[in-house]
Amino acid sequence: DLLRWLQAGGQIAIHDATNSTIERRGALISRLKSEADVNLLFVESICTDKDIINRNIKLKTQSPDYVGIDPEIAEADFRARLRNYERAYRTIGAAEEKLDVQYCKIIDVGKKVIAYNIQGFLESQVVFYLMQMNLESRVIYVTRHGESEDNAAGRIGGDASLAPNGTRYARALARFIDRRRVEFAAEVEENNRRLAHFMASGTSSGSNSEPESVASHASGASTSYSMPSSLRRHVQPDFEIWTSMLKRTMETVEFFDLLRYRIKNIRSLNEIYAGKCEGMTYEEIAREYPDEYEARQLDKFYYRYPGIGGESYADVVLRLQQVIVELERIRHSVLLVTHRAMARTLLSYFMDISTTHMPDMDLPLGFIYGCEPRPFGNHLRVWRYDLNLDDFEEIDASSVLKIRYPKIIMHEHVAAPPSLPSPAETAYSSKN
């Protein structure tokens, strides 16, 4: 199945198996010798740190493999599995090197990396990517900038300043992140306390339970964030804020305290460039460039805006590769204040949304998406800004990342302005 997938156009396939003996690896090597244009790269993870091993064993007992099983029984079973593997295990080495095989050893979660005979662009990129991984507790927050003057006018691209509602959003965003830093530190503290208790006693309070309320650590007041001394060590690592180089994102972070946050302006986070369509409304594009408008609807991912420097979503993916690698490497929380196409690309990566659907994700202004890397997949939380409350409220994340399939409008039918998205999806939520 894996080989058929590669031959059908796949680039990288992962054969997720133990392959812990020389004989087993030899069988794979022999099988692949007859396959044209298929290169083999073994990835071996070695851990000698007893604290990491014990922590990961406890996490493994909370994995899907052990749902509904008593934690003590699950731990005993997993330790028995480890002993069985250890008896037969032979590390990659001379036997594979004689066969000119490529391999990468990752020791103690990236503290040491050994790469052997790495050849080719994809293989080198895989090794580089694996070197960035870490297990630190952190959140990657993604939000669009506050409403700009061009948003209010329904114009795409450009470099406009914030509109008045955008400035209100910027102030509320700074207050929210101040509050979330304290809340997340309390969540980490509580999770560490539970895990330490679990490791000491061999019992668990339940893998599906949520951390206890952090009200005792963060009073909930929107203007005061006192920090208990027990949490300070979790808040001390830098919290970074990344924006694009466009005015509307840089103005959105003007109300953050520079003594508490490191702000970086990154050109790779700029909005997708619309070429000669910059500054136009969708109605104007449909009327003045009907062929371009139709082509974009038919293939939004690969469609490239006309004119010098015009980009496609495929171009954006390439542009954001180094940003994503840095987000995997970073060991503390970060807030990205960026644009719709960038937010779509980043959230598609972290939440495993295909490129087919990515360009049609409905991501209006006024939402914050918090992706927390966890042992068994990224966890998403979402907050929505309410204009009347001038604050954020958490909403159900499962209902947020919607795909909006636009109606395809052929150019010969566009005599009058077609039914199009609201101006750059600008409307903030407000309660009646």
Side-chain angles (χ1 to χ4, degrees):
D1 290 344
L2 179 148
L3 288 172
R4 280 196 296 270
W5 183 82
L6 283 173
Q7 291 159 357
Q11 288 186 305
I12 298 177
I14 301 173
H15 182 226
D16 184 12
T18 308
N19 301 322
S20 54
T21 66
I22 294 173
E23 293 75 19
R24 172 105 175 210
R25 296 191 292 270
L28 285 173
I29 295 168
S30 297
R31 173 67 182 85
L32 292 171
K33 279 183 178 178
S34 61
E35 299 295 331
D37 300 323
V38 175
N39 298 319
L40 176 63
L41 168 63
F42 283 111
V43 178
E44 180 179 13
S45 177
I46 300 171
C47 190
T48 59
D49 187 311
K50 295 298 183 184
D51 288 338
I52 295 176
I53 293 172
N54 288 329
R55 183 183 180 90
N56 286 348
I57 288 173
K58 294 302 182 182
L59 288 172
K60 185 67 176 177
T61 64
Q62 302 175 46
S63 76
D65 290 349
Y66 292 108
V67 171
I69 298 177
D70 181 271
E72 290 186 1
I73 296 174
E75 181 180 347
D77 176 78
F78 190 72
R79 289 188 183 276
R81 288 167 62 183
L82 283 181
R83 288 192 293 271
N84 287 334
Y85 283 131
E86 287 170 354
R87 279 193 285 269
Y89 171 67
R90 295 293 182 274
T91 186
I92 290 176
E96 288 77 21
E97 290 174 8
K98 288 179 181 178
L99 299 173
D100 212 28
V101 169
Q102 303 177 86
Y103 68 75
C104 174
K105 295 187 181 188
I106 302 172
I107 301 169
D108 289 339
V109 199
K111 286 185 178 179
K112 183 177 182 180
V113 176
I114 300 172
Y116 177 82
N117 193 34
I118 302 300
Q119 301 177 10
F121 176 77
L122 281 179
E123 291 91 331
S124 64
Q125 290 296 296
V126 168
V127 173
F128 176 68
Y129 179 79
L130 291 172
M131 291 173 65
Q132 313 308 315
M133 299 298 178
N134 72 85
L135 302 176
E136 295 297 321
S137 298
R138 64 199 192 281
V139 182
I140 298 163
Y141 298 98
V142 179
T143 186
R144 291 176 64 187
H145 52 81
E147 182 184 35
S148 72
E149 294 168 350
D150 278 347
N151 287 146
R155 300 191 178 279
I156 66 173
D159 193 18
S161 293
L162 293 183
N165 281 343
T167 302
R168 288 187 65 189
Y169 181 81
R171 292 181 183 275
L173 179 65
R175 295 195 302 268
F176 171 83
I177 293 297
D178 280 346
R179 186 165 70 240
R180 272 301 300 158
R181 285 189 76 180
V182 177
E183 292 172 351
F184 183 67
E187 292 165 10
V188 171
E189 177 88 349
E190 174 61 15
N191 288 338
N192 288 343
R193 185 193 65 77
R194 289 187 178 190
L195 187 58
H197 175 72
F198 186 21
M199 294 176 70
S201 65
T203 61
S204 173
S205 59
S207 61
N208 294 322
S209 60
E210 292 295 324
E212 69 182 28
S213 170
V214 298
S216 59
H217 303 293
S219 66
S222 61
T223 57
S224 177
Y225 313 104
S226 60
M227 189 180 303
S229 59
S230 63
L231 301 182
R232 285 178 187 148
R233 65 180 178 274
H234 296 298
V235 182
Q236 284 302 317
D238 291 337
F239 188 115
E240 294 189 8
I241 299 174
W242 301 354
T243 80
S244 74
M245 298 289 288
L246 300 176
K247 287 189 294 187
R248 54 192 183 274
T249 62
M250 293 188 285
E251 290 175 3
T252 301
V253 302
E254 284 184 345
F255 300 101
F256 283 88
D257 184 352
L258 296 181
L259 297 178
R260 300 190 62 212
Y261 298 93
R262 295 175 59 196
I263 298 178
K264 298 180 180 179
N265 310 124
I266 302 172
R267 190 173 300 278
S268 295
L269 291 174
N270 282 7
E271 179 61 299
I272 186 171
Y273 187 66
K276 63 183 182 183
C277 296
E278 281 279 305
M280 298 177 69
T281 67
Y282 287 117
E283 289 86 351
E284 289 170 347
I285 296 172
R287 184 172 59 251
E288 296 184 27
Y289 303 110
D291 291 339
E292 296 290 343
Y293 183 82
E294 178 184 331
R296 185 170 184 269
Q297 290 191 82
L298 291 172
D299 190 354
K300 201 170 177 181
F301 183 76
Y302 286 106
Y303 169 82
R304 181 177 285 122
Y305 278 104
I308 297 174
E311 290 184 301
S312 67
Y313 271 91
D315 296 324
V316 167
V317 170
L318 292 175
R319 173 146 64 89
L320 286 179
Q321 281 185 349
Q322 294 307 310
V323 171
I324 287 172
V325 168
E326 182 66 9
L327 288 173
E328 292 286 7
R329 184 201 66 78
I330 201 166
R331 294 176 177 269
H332 47 262
S333 295
V334 59
L335 166 67
L336 292 96
V337 180
T338 184
H339 308 269
R340 183 167 54 184
M342 305 300 112
R344 283 171 169 164
T345 305
L346 292 166
L347 290 172
S348 294
Y349 170 79
F350 285 110
M351 302 314 298
D352 195 23
I353 295 170
S354 72
T355 55
T356 303
H357 298 312
M358 180 183 76
D360 294 311
M361 290 171 61
D362 189 16
L363 298 182
L365 293 174
F367 285 73
I368 300 173
Y369 306 89
C371 299
E372 181 183 348
R374 290 188 179 179
F376 307 107
N378 294 330
H379 177 67
L380 180 68
R381 295 177 67 180
V382 181
W383 296 267
R384 178 177 58 199
Y385 177 64
D386 186 289
L387 192 61
N388 288 342
L389 295 177
D390 195 25
D391 205 350
F392 292 84
E393 57 180 1
E394 186 166 4
I395 60 175
D396 180 12
S398 64
S399 65
V400 170
L401 297 183
K402 299 176 181 177
I403 309 300
R404 186 195 68 232
Y405 297 99
K407 179 181 178 182
I408 295 177
I409 305 169
M410 300 305 178
H411 68 271
E412 59 265 27
H413 300 303
V414 185
S419 176
L420 294 162
S422 61
E425 298 173 338
T426 61
Y428 291 120
S429 168
S430 60
K431 290 183 177 179
N432 294 324

